[in-house]
Amino acid sequence: MTQSQNGNQYTLTNIAGTSAIFDIDNDTVFTSNFENFTTLAYSLQVEAAGGVDNNYPFVKLTDTNEPADPTPLTLNLGEYGIDLRGDDTGVYAPVATISDIFATSETYYVVYAGEKLYTKEFAKSHQPTAALDTDPDFLAAIQEDHPADLADFTYRELCFNLDTWYGQPGQEYVHDDLAGVKLDDLLTEKYPQIKAWLQSTDFKTFYTGMYHLINGLLFDGGHTTIASRLNTENQPLLVEVLNTFAGQPYQGRFVFASFTKQTDAKSRTPIRDAAYGGDYYIEQGDTAMIHFDSFVVDYNGWKAFYAGEGERPLTFTDATGTKYDTVGTVLSGLERAKQNPEIKNIIIDMSCNGGGDSGAMMAIEWLINGQGYLRFESRLTGRVKTTTAHFDMNFDGVFDENDVSPYTDYNFGVLTSNYAFSCGNAFPWFMHEHNKMILGEMTTGGACAIRLTSAAGIEFACSAASSKIVSDSGESVDFGCPIDVDLTVEGENRYLNFYDLDLLSAKMNEYYANSH
């Protein structure tokens, strides 16, 4: 980043050549191209490699923005009492504010705690563990009480952060109330107790306020949630805070939502496990089904495979246990189906899928439809960005006309449930746009990329304002994917029909006979 000064205006230019003007008189930041200005080295590395991310050597990504011309954006820090300062050495802003400006789902964020700066990268596998994940000094520092001036600044900065970068995807409890309204105004008028908690100098009180704001008012099914080490390393405090949700009108948004999904999963999972018999693939008659419970990529395995140093990934082990690589799993399942000439229907089972890696999702889209894409709308600028994927079908490292999916002629269906969320919701939506059959139960939703950030060291994830997933008609997909056939039944276990391949075959054959 380079700087130049013209009076009390400082122009900062990033390594991509895009500039922003920091005005210390008016405490504003203006840029004619916000997306490019906040692009850091990670995105540029992908761009320099022709759209091939080192973590996904099997797919090439290309972004198209609509409209093509960039949208100007002004950040009014002064409105929140955030002071920009400058001298002959350059322009200065609070660490938290600088982190907010540059924190995206592809780059870094920074936390200041206990006289230390901690950086963390939320860009796939580049930095899986950061000091703030393990440093006992960090954990101690964020549980200290706040001086009055810091408590005041933390609240104002939090309002700037969420007013600017919270995505408002649709499911959050205060979605309608928050439309066109500043967070501070909403809290002042309707939730003064939460505002008072957030302004408190007492750590436990502030932490309580953060939970009620993030996991209460703004909770959207899972993307917006407290992601602090305190969740696991100070569980008595967590229990104490969660007890304060009792009687609140939004308590069901978080405390009971997860319980309901887990209860339903306990009804569904044994039937699923019995049907698959420990495999990820089953077939019967003219229908095959492939399941995976999250979109996961074995980054190191794919790098080794392309380097000629390993087999194509299928399973791998990390710190959390053994997992199935999604692309390898689906490819292997499709290859098994191809070996049986009777198979004409293939179902992608998302009934226990909680989401995951969008790069893997687009690769699966390509295998099924001959194209993969992801469509985002920015609440900040109103621009729509469509990311398209080209899959390296022959694994030669070249993305060209020789890459042709041999699976597009099958009748595809997607099996969904209320557990399917995030990419587990976006994938069936994009299959729905390609007129693929959606069976089962309506998904839970989830319609964005995730942005990690913090307030006074309390880390939280939130739906990113820059990246709300929209349908081909421009509507949010946050309320779930429509289904063509409801497979639920009345009774003690409504999922009894979900894995009956004879029934699924009949439903698919009827659907495709009537739609072609």
Side-chain angles (χ1 to χ4, degrees):
M1 191 81 71
T2 61
Q3 293 190 64
S4 62
Q5 182 180 357
N6 181 15
N8 286 334
Q9 292 186 340
Y10 295 78
T11 299
L12 275 65
T13 303
N14 68 8
I15 55 178
T18 306
S19 299
I21 299 172
F22 287 66
D23 187 328
I24 66 173
D25 286 337
N26 297 305
D27 294 320
T28 59
V29 179
F30 170 80
T31 176
S32 61
N33 191 333
F34 180 75
E35 288 92 344
N36 279 9
F37 179 70
T38 56
T39 294
L40 295 182
Y42 171 73
S43 296
L44 290 176
Q45 175 188 351
V46 174
E47 182 179 323
V52 182
D53 185 332
N54 187 43
N55 287 304
Y56 310 101
F58 50 78
V59 69
K60 177 180 179 180
L61 305 178
T62 304
D63 292 338
T64 303
N65 287 301
E66 302 171 7
D69 294 333
T71 304
L73 183 69
T74 298
L75 303 177
N76 191 344
L77 305 181
E79 185 178 351
Y80 300 88
I82 299 174
D83 190 26
L84 291 176
R85 302 180 183 182
D87 57 23
D88 291 341
T89 64
V91 65
Y92 297 87
V95 168
T97 305
I98 292 296
S99 178
D100 286 344
I101 291 173
F102 288 100
T104 73
S105 59
E106 296 177 337
T107 56
Y108 298 89
Y109 68 108
V110 178
V111 180
Y112 178 73
E115 305 298 323
K116 289 184 181 181
L117 278 176
Y118 299 86
T119 63
K120 188 168 184 178
E121 185 178 358
F122 188 56
K124 309 297 182 280
S125 63
H126 294 284
Q127 186 181 320
T129 303
L132 59 79
D133 293 323
T134 57
D135 188 353
D137 292 342
F138 175 80
L139 197 64
I142 64 174
Q143 295 182 82
E144 294 177 356
D145 291 342
H146 305 155
D149 57 347
L150 180 59
D152 176 61
F153 168 78
T154 297
Y155 174 76
R156 290 184 283 105
E157 215 285 331
L158 177 64
C159 288
F160 163 69
N161 186 348
L162 292 173
D163 280 344
T164 309
W165 283 288
Y166 175 60
Q168 301 180 23
Q171 288 193 57
E172 66 275 15
Y173 181 76
V174 293
H175 179 75
D176 291 340
D177 290 338
L178 197 56
V181 175
K182 299 294 185 184
L183 178 62
D184 177 60
D185 293 336
L186 175 64
L187 295 178
T188 300
E189 178 182 353
K190 294 192 173 183
Y191 304 99
Q193 180 62 76
I194 295 179
K195 177 176 178 177
W197 286 336
L198 291 169
Q199 292 178 313
S200 176
T201 60
D202 176 72
F203 162 73
K204 186 183 295 185
T205 304
F206 170 74
Y207 187 58
T208 301
M210 285 293 293
Y211 249 95
H212 280 258
L213 175 63
I214 303 300
N215 283 53
L217 301 184
L218 302 183
F219 185 73
D220 50 18
H223 283 151
T224 301
T225 185
I226 298 293
S228 173
R229 283 172 61 189
L230 294 172
N231 288 347
T232 56
E233 298 189 42
N234 193 341
Q235 290 192 340
L237 173 61
L238 176 61
V239 171
E240 184 177 341
V241 168
L242 292 181
N243 284 338
T244 65
F245 273 68
Q248 298 294 342
Y250 46 79
Q251 66 175 336
R253 296 296 302 138
F254 171 62
V255 178
F256 296 131
S258 296
F259 174 78
T260 299
K261 289 179 70 173
Q262 294 301 327
T263 301
D264 288 345
K266 288 180 180 178
S267 298
R268 186 174 54 251
T269 303
I271 304 173
R272 195 276 302 270
D273 291 348
Y276 282 94
D279 203 348
Y280 60 88
Y281 172 92
I282 52 175
E283 62 178 43
Q284 185 167 311
D286 61 3
T287 301
M289 189 153 63
I290 306 166
H291 88 80
F292 51 96
D293 292 349
S294 60
F295 288 91
V296 179
V297 177
D298 179 5
Y299 303 113
N300 293 328
W302 279 105
K303 292 173 189 175
F305 173 66
Y306 267 82
E309 299 171 355
E311 299 295 323
R312 191 181 75 193
L314 180 60
T315 62
F316 67 103
T317 302
D318 63 12
T320 61
T322 300
K323 299 179 179 179
Y324 279 87
D325 175 89
T326 301
V327 176
T329 297
V330 173
L331 268 173
S332 296
L334 293 174
E335 289 165 353
R336 290 168 70 175
K338 196 78 170 175
Q339 293 172 7
N340 184 347
E342 293 186 15
I343 300 297
K344 64 178 183 179
N345 305 317
I346 299 177
I347 298 172
I348 305 298
D349 178 2
M350 310 286 292
S351 61
C352 298
N353 193 295
D357 194 301
S358 60
M361 183 190 75
M362 286 188 284
I364 305 308
E365 288 181 60
W366 190 95
L367 288 168
I368 293 172
N369 299 312
Q371 64 174 161
Y373 60 85
L374 190 58
R375 190 187 303 107
F376 284 128
E377 180 184 49
S378 170
R379 185 176 65 81
L380 294 173
T381 64
R383 289 157 60 81
V384 174
K385 180 175 78 172
T386 301
T387 299
T388 57
H390 181 117
F391 191 77
D392 184 18
M393 189 68 232
N394 55 12
F395 302 116
D396 63 356
V398 180
F399 298 89
D400 56 20
E401 66 278 2
N402 293 320
D403 298 312
V404 178
S405 174
Y407 307 110
T408 57
D409 289 338
Y410 285 99
N411 297 329
F412 277 95
V414 182
L415 181 66
T416 62
S417 76
N418 69 349
Y419 193 88
F421 181 76
S422 191
C423 281
N425 171 60
F427 178 81
W429 250 109
F430 295 135
M431 292 300 101
H432 171 71
E433 292 183 358
H434 281 87
N435 298 314
K436 307 305 182 187
M437 188 180 189
I438 313 299
L439 313 89
E441 181 181 41
M442 196 164 182
T443 59
T444 295
C448 63
I450 301 172
R451 179 178 180 272
L452 283 182
T453 182
S454 72
I458 304 302
E459 297 171 88
F460 62 94
C462 73
S463 299
S466 61
S467 307
K468 181 174 73 174
I469 299 175
V470 293
S471 68
D472 52 3
S473 62
E475 302 297 319
S476 172
V477 306
D478 196 45
F479 295 98
C481 178
I483 56 177
D484 297 300
V485 173
D486 185 348
L487 293 175
T488 59
V489 295
E490 295 183 1
E492 184 176 343
N493 192 330
R494 67 178 187 270
Y495 299 108
L496 289 175
N497 287 340
F498 264 52
Y499 310 100
D500 181 343
L501 280 182
D502 288 334
L503 175 64
L504 298 180
S505 171
K507 295 294 185 183
M508 288 194 69
N509 289 333
E510 178 183 1
Y511 175 85
Y512 281 101
N514 293 332
S515 62
H516 290 80

